[in-house]
Amino acid sequence: MRCDCGREAVIFRRFEGRALCRQHFIESVDRRIKKLIRKEKMIDDGDRIAVGLSGGKDSSLALYLLNNLSKESKSFKVFAILVDEGVKGYRDKTIKHAKNFCKDIGVKLHIVRFKDEYGKTLDQIVKKSKGNLKACTYCGVFRRDLLNKTARKLKATKLVIAHNLDDEVQSIMANYVRGDLLRAARVGAKAYVVKDARFIPRIKPLREIPEKETALYVLLKKFDTGFEECPYAMESFRWDIRDTVNDLENKFPGTKYSILRTFDRILPVLQKEFLNKKIGKCSKCGEPTSGEICKVCTLLKTVK
Ligand code: SF4
């Protein structure tokens, strides 16, 4: 298989019926990410951009590209935050990749831990929960909270969430299945519904890049990054959704883009509905919440 330029192809994009060589593939990924950043006006002059780094392929790619853009434009700064949930045999490996990668590209890395913030690692939380709730339920809420708090403490003006196309589509489908419109309204290129100084606006520059392509990009560029899978991932609801969406994509190439584009058309209606909801203060920890007690405090109570 050959690229239009005549060189050997590294990928065949079934959804557009096009083969690309290494150089044209990398250029195309870079171009699409930059285009989305511009189109969605994700970055402003003077921004301090925190990238949520896991040591995996997606966040390493996001950090790499934003760091290059920051060096080119000199109008904003970039640093990385890694949340160590405390998953033995998994997070310890990805932390090593993250440290090496940040050193390689000269980016400051801040590491924060569930254990320090909530008094327990995720493994300990799961043990205490005795199967009442899934690991991802705790992890998702705590990780979002800790990333936001840390970004705020470090005076970040934007927080990068390195969701790729597959992640976005899984979130969209999961919210449809659950009927959770409030959460659905948060699935956008700028993933915030409520404008509140306590929430650092989240941006998702990779949301139009398929997972296969983020993986290929980091392999071709030989980034020090891991392909380890969290041991709790398979028990998550998203795992089933992922299989279903992948089956559909195999049968009907372009399904993922079609789901994303259709959702983006209805997103403004959802945001209008939820954008102006008042956000109060948790009576226990003082963090923003729409109820009396925030989700973090509610979940922490179940594993005391
Ligand atoms: Fe957390 Fe679940 Fe992701 Fe593992 S798979 S890192 S438990 S959200």
Side-chain angles (χ1 to χ4, degrees):
M1 216 176 5
R2 302 246 154 218
C3 178
D4 287 349
C5 69
R7 280 185 288 235
E8 184 148 1
V10 292
I11 188 169
F12 177 70
R13 285 194 185 131
R14 281 182 69 207
F15 57 86
E16 57 180 23
R18 203 170 153 219
L20 293 167
C21 66
R22 182 187 190 278
Q23 186 193 329
H24 286 130
F25 165 71
I26 287 174
E27 282 174 6
S28 138
V29 172
D30 290 353
R31 198 170 44 244
R32 280 183 296 157
I33 294 175
K34 285 181 192 168
K35 192 174 160 197
L36 185 66
I37 290 175
R38 267 198 314 274
K39 183 179 141 215
E40 297 289 342
K41 299 185 178 63
M42 290 184 182
I43 300 175
D44 297 304
D45 284 352
D47 263 344
R48 282 178 54 79
I49 300 199
V51 177
L53 183 68
S54 70
K57 58 187 184 341
D58 304 314
S59 55
S60 300
L61 168 55
L63 181 62
Y64 171 79
L65 282 176
L66 282 161
N67 188 42
N68 285 350
L69 281 177
S70 137
K71 281 186 198 157
E72 276 167 29
S73 84
K74 295 190 177 30
S75 65
F76 64 94
K77 292 210 163 18
V78 171
F79 57 93
I81 301 174
L82 184 146
V83 174
D84 175 5
E85 305 90 348
V87 179
K88 221 168 167 222
Y90 163 65
R91 189 50 84 206
D92 23 355
K93 285 184 193 150
T94 66
I95 287 178
K96 270 192 204 152
H97 293 304
K99 281 184 179 169
N100 290 339
F101 188 62
C102 284
K103 208 170 149 201
D104 286 351
I105 62 170
V107 168
K108 172 104 180 124
L109 171 66
H110 301 264
I111 300 182
V112 284
R113 297 186 164 82
F114 274 18
K115 177 86 176 165
D116 299 332
E117 183 69 18
Y118 308 114
K120 290 180 186 69
T121 64
L122 184 62
D123 287 339
Q124 291 167 333
I125 290 170
V126 168
K127 222 171 181 181
K128 268 264 178 196
S129 155
K130 295 189 180 119
N132 286 334
L133 289 171
K134 297 214 164 124
C136 299
T137 306
Y138 291 102
C139 184
V141 171
F142 293 166
R143 197 149 41 110
R144 202 163 35 246
D145 174 63
L146 193 47
L147 264 178
N148 185 61
K149 275 184 194 158
T150 311
R152 201 172 62 205
K153 210 160 112 191
L154 295 169
K155 301 198 180 340
T157 51
K158 305 272 166 58
L159 175 60
V160 172
I161 306 296
H163 280 184
N164 58 43
L165 173 69
D166 296 54
D167 296 324
E168 283 292 90
V169 170
Q170 285 158 26
S171 299
I172 291 165
M173 296 308 286
N175 290 325
Y176 279 146
V177 175
R178 288 195 193 104
D180 191 338
L181 292 180
L182 175 61
R183 269 210 211 169
R186 290 183 187 137
V187 185
K190 291 174 169 174
Y192 52 96
V193 174
V194 182
K195 291 198 171 145
D196 185 303
R198 294 167 295 176
F199 288 125
I200 305 303
R202 300 191 299 155
I203 54 173
K204 298 184 192 166
L206 265 55
R207 79 189 287 263
E208 296 189 356
I209 310 295
E211 185 168 27
K212 271 187 193 160
E213 297 196 16
T214 64
L216 181 60
Y217 191 105
V218 302
L219 281 171
L220 292 171
K221 286 267 192 181
K222 296 192 172 60
F223 286 173
D224 191 335
T225 178
F227 286 86
E228 293 88 359
E229 195 82 65
C230 172
Y232 297 117
M234 279 175 76
E235 60 185 54
S236 71
F237 178 52
R238 284 179 85 100
W239 195 266
D240 293 324
I241 300 273
R242 172 170 125 155
D243 287 346
T244 309
V245 173
N246 283 342
D247 282 349
L248 284 170
E249 178 71 35
N250 283 336
K251 280 186 198 146
F252 311 106
T255 294
K256 289 175 189 172
Y257 279 115
S258 170
I259 293 173
L260 188 80
R261 302 268 180 256
T262 309
F263 176 78
D264 281 353
R265 290 182 69 184
I266 58 171
L267 185 60
V269 180
L270 290 175
Q271 290 184 328
K272 203 171 164 206
E273 175 70 21
F274 294 101
L275 196 63
N276 296 320
K277 290 267 181 290
K278 272 238 154 57
I279 285 286
K281 196 170 159 185
C282 172
S283 59
K284 277 185 170 274
C285 69
E287 283 297 308
T289 178
S290 48
E292 164 75 16
I293 295 176
C294 72
K295 201 87 204 268
V296 172
C297 291
T298 309
L299 285 176
L300 278 176
K301 215 173 147 196
T302 66
V303 288
K304 258 201 167 165

